[in-house]
Amino acid sequence: MATGDFVRPLPDVAVHAHSHPGGVLDWVGMDGIEMPVRFDAGNGDVQRASARVGAFVDLAQPDRRGIHMSRLYLLADEYLAARPLDAPLLESLLRAFLVSQQGLARRARASLRFELLVRRAALRSDHAGWRAYPVFIDAQLDAAGFRLELGTEVTYSSTCPASAALSRQLIQQQFARDFDATAPLEHAAVLAWLGSERGIVATPHAQRSVARLAVRFVDGVPLNLIASIDRVEQALGTPVQTAVKREDEQAFARANGANPMFCEDAARRIQHALDDDDSIADFHVRLEHRESLHPHDAVAQASKSMPGKTRPADAPPSSWATMLEQAADPAR
């Protein structure tokens, strides 16, 4: 080392007192961090997924300019690589976030967004295919303790009950025109008519619809997301399909005919199905029926039925609202 050379510590201006306006900040950190994660959604299949991770703490010291942001990244990288995602892992990560800030923060938060692939059997044929369900995780740690919420979305078909009734009326009118009420009916003629285009002069409108779900599981319960998805899809009766042969398409048409529903009907079906799940402490669901009749959507929201509940169904907790917004805009 040359005379006069010496090692100087690298400056860290973020943590020193500053002349800028002071103030406590709700959240500071990074969002959209690209990281691999492993996740068991409840079926024992630990999947590796490419996730977008958010790492945040509050800035509780008004005279400090910033937090130790790089430490959040390094801790997320370390903890998320250690083992598959679960509640204890995320709670440990958030506690490490707070320790890393050396008194600058009192609250910590982590969010994760990735896709879960689930193999789904066809309705009638021997085929199967893959469905990708988005997963949204929001974990927070503060003086009140640790909270974890899990979100996903289910896509399904919804046939309008009003349109179905109007279509049946038109078919009745066509039948009355084609068959003389005073003449005896011939079975073969009626059967042929029912199989013709004249026998189905109108069809009810249906649309691809989406149920966005945010759940909070009971403490200590595994994050069995697939079980919740299955409950929702079984309650609706018309989840979208993967591999489809003609017999599967016919079975799907039958399912739609047996399950006409307004968005209100779909919301109540899901509400009852999840109310019966003892592993779920609370939930919020937002449904969108993307109308083929209108250029706008029909929307309904519901949450868990609990005695003394005061939160209106259209006002989910802020973290849940964030997850539902992220579901609506995957690019976020």
Side-chain angles (χ1 to χ4, degrees):
M1 179 181 299
T3 304
D5 289 345
F6 58 93
V7 178
R8 293 183 178 179
L10 297 177
D12 187 0
V13 300
V15 299
H16 296 299
H18 61 89
S19 58
H20 299 273
V24 173
L25 301 180
D26 292 338
W27 297 114
V28 182
M30 295 163 286
D31 201 8
I33 303 170
E34 300 168 353
M35 285 187 177
V37 296
R38 287 173 291 159
F39 183 62
D40 178 0
N43 61 355
D45 177 19
V46 179
Q47 290 189 21
R48 187 180 178 92
S50 175
R52 300 283 178 164
V53 178
F56 305 95
V57 294
D58 65 332
L59 181 51
Q61 302 298 328
D63 62 334
R64 295 299 181 96
R65 190 170 185 180
I67 65 167
H68 300 285
M69 199 168 292
S70 63
R71 296 178 187 179
L72 301 182
Y73 181 98
L74 295 174
L75 286 168
D77 185 43
E78 175 188 348
Y79 277 72
L80 297 180
R83 67 175 193 265
L85 289 170
D86 59 15
L89 172 68
L90 291 171
E91 183 175 1
S92 297
L93 173 60
L94 297 187
R95 293 192 183 281
F97 278 180
L98 293 181
V99 171
S100 76
Q101 299 306 307
Q102 299 178 328
L104 293 177
R106 297 172 185 170
R107 298 187 296 141
R109 183 175 186 177
S111 63
L112 300 96
R113 308 187 297 276
F114 56 93
E115 284 192 336
L116 170 72
L117 284 170
V118 180
R119 190 78 169 167
R120 293 300 198 189
L123 290 173
R124 290 287 181 272
S125 69
D126 295 330
H127 298 286
W130 293 99
R131 282 282 292 115
Y133 295 90
V135 180
F136 312 93
I137 296 177
D138 187 276
Q140 296 190 41
L141 179 67
D142 55 27
F146 174 74
R147 297 182 305 282
L148 186 147
E149 288 127 15
L150 188 65
T152 190
E153 67 179 41
V154 170
T155 306
Y156 61 102
S157 174
S158 60
T159 298
C160 176
S163 181
L166 294 169
S167 297
R168 289 193 297 269
Q169 183 184 60
L170 289 174
I171 292 171
Q172 286 178 317
Q173 292 171 355
Q174 188 64 46
F175 181 88
R177 285 193 291 268
D178 290 350
F179 290 90
D180 187 346
T182 63
L185 290 174
E186 295 183 3
H187 180 273
V190 174
L191 187 63
W193 183 87
L194 289 171
S196 70
E197 291 184 359
R198 295 182 70 82
I200 186 169
V201 293
T203 58
H205 73 81
Q207 51 270 324
R208 187 182 298 173
S209 303
V210 175
R212 295 197 176 94
L213 175 68
V215 300
R216 183 177 299 152
F217 287 99
V218 173
D219 291 344
V221 171
L223 304 179
N224 195 336
L225 180 60
I226 290 181
S228 298
I229 292 173
D230 288 345
R231 275 184 176 271
V232 170
E233 292 189 343
Q234 290 164 12
L236 293 169
T238 55
V240 295
Q241 300 298 299
T242 56
V244 174
K245 301 292 286 184
R246 280 179 293 177
E247 59 265 40
D248 303 309
E249 187 169 358
Q250 186 179 59
F252 189 67
R254 180 187 290 274
N256 274 269
N259 292 281
M261 53 186 144
F262 297 120
C263 61
E264 298 94 328
D265 300 320
R268 290 185 176 118
R269 288 188 182 196
I270 295 174
Q271 185 180 49
H272 286 297
L274 296 182
D275 274 343
D276 291 338
D277 189 340
D278 294 334
S279 69
I280 294 178
D282 201 358
F283 67 82
H284 183 90
V285 62
R286 173 187 167 93
L287 297 94
E288 297 175 3
H289 285 195
R290 297 168 178 173
E291 296 266 347
S292 59
L293 174 63
H294 304 290
H296 52 262
D297 300 335
V299 177
Q301 299 189 56
S303 53
K304 187 173 180 64
S305 300
M306 294 187 292
K309 185 175 185 178
T310 58
R311 186 182 75 242
D314 62 348
S318 59
S319 60
W320 293 13
T322 299
M323 278 197 290
L324 297 174
E325 290 169 3
Q326 289 171 346
D329 184 6
R332 292 189 58 177

